[in-house]
Amino acid sequence: MCGIFGYIGPREATSIVLDGIQKLEYRGYDSAGIAMINDGVLCHEKEVGKVSRLQEVVSAKNWETNLAIAHTRWATHGRPTQGNAHPHLDTQKKCAVVHNGIIENHDTVRHLLEKRGITCISDTDTEVIAHLIAYLYKGNFLRAVQRALPLLKGAFAIAVIHHAHPGEIVCAAKESPLAIGIGKGEMFVASDSGAFLKYTRRAIYLGASEVALLTEHGVEAFDAQFAPIEKKREELSHSVEEASKGDYQHFMLKEIHEQPQTLQNALLARFSRDYGTATLDNLNFSDEELKKVERIVILACGTSLHAGMIAAHMLEEKARIPVEVEISSEFRYKNPIVKDNTLAIAISQSGETADTLAAMRELREKGARILGICNMQGSTMAREVDSCLFLRAGPEIGVAASKTFTSQLIVLSLLSLHFARMRQMSQQEGVLFIDALTKLPEQIRQVLLGSGQIIEIAKKYAAYENFFYLGRRYMYPTALEGALKLKEIAYVNANGYPAGEMKHGPIALINEMCPTVAFCADTYTYPKMLSNLMEVKARGGKVLAIAPGGASDIAAIADDVIWVPPTLDELAPVASTIVGQLFSYYVAKERGTEIDQPRNLAKSVTVE
Ligand code: AGP
């Protein structure tokens, strides 16, 4: 987690780096800081809270400098206080470090430093890096960083400045992303190339244990043995999309309302209705390879995991391929069995989720081919996988995923169709599937037009502190996703459960203070769902049902019903999820929580 940004060049650096870390706030936003060198003096400033707070403080200082580094933090070690915010400095304030990742052996290093009379003053794992570099410094800044790195364990990326080297930034990466932007007479370093895209499109990415020395004239890169290396320069193709809320109060609401368009984008030129099949031109796997796939392993976390669970159902049902869905953070510590013809599908909006990257690397080591489903071009995932299908959802600024989830569902539906048509699905069935898919954007427009009813219902339910979210079959992961949204943005406890499991224990929690949000749009299991909801009602529980129009018997059971347009069961998660997103949004608004940047969260989880 955390975002790093550094600049060296002819322009005034403080405003550039502050703008840079603001673009990286999706990686964390509990505190922020900046360091720069002015007339040989290392100055720094740190503030608790968002980057905008730091900007206010720094602008009053009228700093002028051509070199600066900055940081936006998501706390891992130590509370979000001013003292724990980055940059961290050595005792004599000669060097300053910003860091993303975790130094796993920080305690050991801290004790080593203490034996040499150096005491850390913060609770962070980062501070030891600054002391270590200062301790090892003998006049050559680059060499001091290079000598410090082998003493540090963990996955991290750092950028460092030293008061005696006002024309240099030294940066290093070990299993955490770090991009270096190459401008004309100026250089940038950032956790994500998107943060410097408006200045330059030429970039290199630091790999495992590599170090780079940046001056305004260019970059020199070195491997772990200090030997110079030639890094491949990449031309960034993604566009500079300045995110703005437009007339919406929150990014999340805007992103929810963008979904008719983002679904359309995900579908664009990716199917042939005549042949009833998907045309995934960017899929770098031949039809022969795909026909041979005997097993699929899906890797993902959070919302992407829920998309993976829905896709697993679809792939098994339509393409008859066995699929396992694995939580990346658990899977990375398994010793996976990879037989020939195993395909891994790694799903990640950001393409930077540390656990998913580690899990897919583990599978690749063992011989699996990896297909990425990702929104961010240029991300670590997009660069490492054998093939990548992009969501084309545009930047998602709200920390809680909304439009990218439904785009994941579309891309995964097309992928399932592709596999299914290669196996036993008929052309006619394929055409019906495509017709249902292409109706979705218009159906979602209808759902969004019904926001008024959802606002009223959200007001009615906003004061409850505990919810159950239930569903069966395609609606089970949909319920999990709905519950996650409510937890994330409204800070309300919501227990996502398969409805059929309630009787095995959780039903003990049902009472009039614990309503159930029931996802009823899976027509195959609909009658069973009705029985489960009767059981909830019989125990005094309130029911808010999200059900397909025409399924009138639910109205007699539920306290409230929000209707969604009928579609195929496998595509029903899209509209039902959007109702769930709107419900969570309006409950959160009613409760006055911070919706776009909820407490304790970050958009990209780059530590394990
Ligand atoms: C979604 O609302 C969450 N912010 C979170 O669960 C997220 O989906 C998860 O961290 C995975 O992120 P990724 O898709 O970028 O890998």
Side-chain angles (χ1 to χ4, degrees):
M1 328 276 278
C2 305
I4 293 174
F5 197 99
Y7 173 81
I8 180 164
R11 307 188 220 201
E12 202 290 298
T14 51
S15 53
I16 293 180
V17 297
L18 289 174
D19 175 62
I21 53 166
Q22 197 148 45
K23 292 205 167 51
L24 296 169
E25 262 190 333
Y26 70 87
R27 305 172 73 91
Y29 39 76
D30 60 40
S31 49
I34 180 171
M36 56 90 147
I37 298 166
N38 196 0
D39 284 339
V41 180
L42 202 157
C43 311
H44 75 287
E45 196 62 53
K46 320 198 242 195
E47 286 297 323
V48 173
K50 309 244 165 90
V51 173
S52 53
R53 172 83 200 105
L54 179 70
Q55 266 164 339
E56 281 166 25
V57 175
V58 172
S59 66
K61 293 189 177 289
N62 294 319
W63 277 352
E64 291 239 343
T65 179
N66 301 116
L67 168 146
I69 54 174
H71 188 267
T72 179
R73 179 171 188 244
W74 185 88
T76 60
H77 294 63
R79 292 174 60 78
T81 60
Q82 200 175 33
N84 288 335
H86 300 208
H88 286 280
L89 277 61
D90 66 297
T91 320
Q92 296 186 7
K93 301 194 177 359
K94 291 189 168 166
C95 78
V97 175
V98 288
H99 163 224
N100 161 38
I102 291 178
I103 306 298
E104 286 172 359
N105 63 336
H106 65 100
D107 257 343
T108 316
V109 180
R110 192 181 291 250
H111 290 136
L112 283 174
L113 290 165
E114 276 165 6
K115 280 190 192 147
R116 285 156 181 82
I118 302 164
T119 310
C120 290
I121 53 171
S122 76
D123 307 320
T124 66
D125 53 333
T126 305
E127 190 186 340
V128 298
I129 311 174
H131 295 302
L132 204 54
I133 293 170
Y135 179 75
L136 295 169
Y137 177 76
K138 303 279 181 289
N140 183 329
F141 177 32
L142 169 68
R143 192 44 58 93
V145 177
Q146 285 174 318
R147 289 180 61 210
L149 289 176
L151 305 174
L152 302 171
K153 291 201 170 76
F156 53 84
I158 58 170
V160 195
I161 57 175
H162 193 287
H163 83 118
H165 300 263
E168 296 178 359
I169 298 176
V170 178
C171 42
K174 194 177 162 214
E175 290 170 40
S176 282
L178 200 61
I180 293 167
I182 304 164
K184 290 197 178 107
E186 58 185 356
M187 299 293 293
F188 305 82
V189 56
S191 306
D192 168 354
S193 57
F196 55 64
L197 204 55
K198 75 175 185 197
Y199 305 107
T200 180
R201 290 188 163 275
R202 277 189 307 157
I204 61 171
Y205 293 92
L206 284 193
S209 303
E210 291 175 350
V211 181
L213 171 66
L214 310 190
T215 66
E216 61 183 359
H217 306 297
V219 53
E220 291 172 69
F222 305 87
D223 67 13
Q225 283 69 48
F226 309 174
I229 45 172
E230 205 50 58
K231 295 292 297 177
K232 183 172 157 247
R233 291 185 180 203
E234 299 192 19
E235 205 59 39
L236 303 173
S237 59
H238 38 300
S239 59
V240 190
E241 283 165 285
E242 289 291 343
S244 102
K245 283 192 277 216
D247 292 335
Y248 291 95
Q249 195 183 344
H250 294 100
F251 278 108
M252 184 176 180
L253 189 61
K254 175 172 174 259
E255 287 154 7
I256 292 173
H257 280 265
E258 278 170 8
Q259 288 175 102
Q261 187 56 52
T262 50
L263 297 188
Q264 202 101 50
N265 297 349
L267 284 167
L268 193 72
R270 281 178 166 166
F271 62 86
S272 153
R273 188 183 182 276
D274 288 350
Y275 292 98
T277 193
T279 49
L280 300 171
D281 290 343
N282 293 335
L283 202 58
N284 268 344
F285 298 109
S286 67
D287 285 359
E288 280 58 46
E289 273 179 284
L290 294 181
K291 278 180 193 154
K292 280 189 202 147
V293 170
E294 285 170 11
R295 174 184 173 232
I296 293 177
V297 180
I298 293 181
L299 305 168
C301 299
T303 289
S304 297
L305 179 75
H306 301 148
M309 290 168 77
I310 292 168
H313 249 297
M314 223 184 297
L315 281 159
E316 287 199 345
E317 189 175 270
K318 304 282 164 209
R320 310 300 298 150
I321 305 173
V323 187
E324 289 143 59
V325 188
E326 299 277 1
I327 301 170
S328 308
S329 55
E330 288 296 314
F331 183 80
R332 61 183 294 186
Y333 294 108
K334 281 187 176 177
N335 184 8
I337 300 164
V338 179
K339 297 205 177 122
D340 285 350
N341 303 324
T342 297
L343 175 72
I345 302 179
I347 310 173
S348 173
Q349 182 284 129
S350 61
E352 300 294 353
T353 299
D355 286 322
T356 302
L357 293 175
M360 82 185 197
R361 286 170 188 149
E362 182 61 31
L363 269 183
R364 197 184 41 206
E365 279 291 295
K366 296 205 156 63
R369 301 263 277 148
I370 318 282
L371 168 63
I373 308 284
C374 185
N375 195 36
M376 300 302 285
Q377 297 192 18
S379 61
T380 307
M381 173 180 283
R383 284 181 283 114
E384 288 191 12
V385 291
D386 297 299
S387 176
C388 196
L389 291 175
F390 289 102
L391 304 182
R392 307 172 180 164
E396 186 176 67
I397 309 298
V399 164
S402 56
K403 62 177 178 173
T404 55
F405 175 71
T406 51
S407 296
Q408 286 170 339
L409 294 182
I410 297 297
V411 172
L412 289 161
S413 301
L414 288 165
L415 187 68
S416 305
L417 175 66
H418 194 57
F419 272 112
R421 289 284 287 119
M422 282 179 178
R423 288 151 202 253
Q424 89 296 347
M425 187 193 258
S426 69
Q427 180 176 348
Q428 196 187 9
E429 237 187 305
V431 171
L432 289 176
F433 191 79
I434 287 171
D435 285 348
L437 263 176
T438 49
K439 275 190 196 142
L440 283 174
E442 185 46 40
Q443 292 182 332
I444 298 316
R445 256 178 220 113
Q446 298 309 318
V447 170
L448 294 169
L449 285 174
S451 294
Q453 184 209 3
I454 302 176
I455 294 173
E456 291 313 311
I457 291 180
K459 282 185 186 154
K460 202 166 146 186
Y461 286 83
Y464 291 100
E465 295 297 338
N466 294 293
F467 281 78
F468 269 106
Y469 271 57
L470 303 183
R472 300 183 79 122
R473 201 164 162 255
Y474 285 104
M475 288 297 118
Y476 164 48
T478 310
L480 292 181
E481 174 57 14
L484 179 63
K485 286 289 93 81
L486 195 71
K487 283 183 267 211
E488 283 187 296
I489 62 169
Y491 314 155
V492 173
N493 178 37
N495 219 333
Y497 238 83
E501 278 292 290
M502 286 298 279
K503 288 198 270 302
H504 299 285
I507 202 163
L509 293 172
I510 291 286
N511 60 26
E512 59 287 354
M513 294 312 292
C514 178
T516 292
V517 179
F519 288 81
C520 304
D522 186 276
T523 58
Y524 185 48
T525 56
Y526 178 73
K528 304 283 174 208
M529 192 68 191
L530 290 187
S531 311
N532 296 142
L533 295 178
M534 304 273 263
E535 289 152 12
V536 168
K537 288 298 295 175
R539 280 146 189 93
K542 271 196 178 342
V543 172
L544 162 59
I546 298 162
S552 53
D553 34 5
I554 184 72
I557 300 172
D559 297 87
D560 296 283
V561 185
I562 301 170
W563 302 107
V564 286
T567 182
L568 301 177
D569 283 357
E570 53 273 28
L571 301 181
V574 177
S576 298
T577 293
I578 293 173
V579 170
Q581 293 168 355
L582 287 167
F583 178 71
S584 300
Y585 175 83
Y586 287 112
V587 168
K589 213 171 147 202
E590 207 49 37
R591 294 173 71 99
T593 51
E594 193 146 354
I595 293 177
D596 280 336
Q597 294 185 328
R599 69 182 182 204
N600 305 341
L601 300 185
K603 184 95 184 139
S604 279
V605 182
T606 58
V607 293
E608 60 170 303

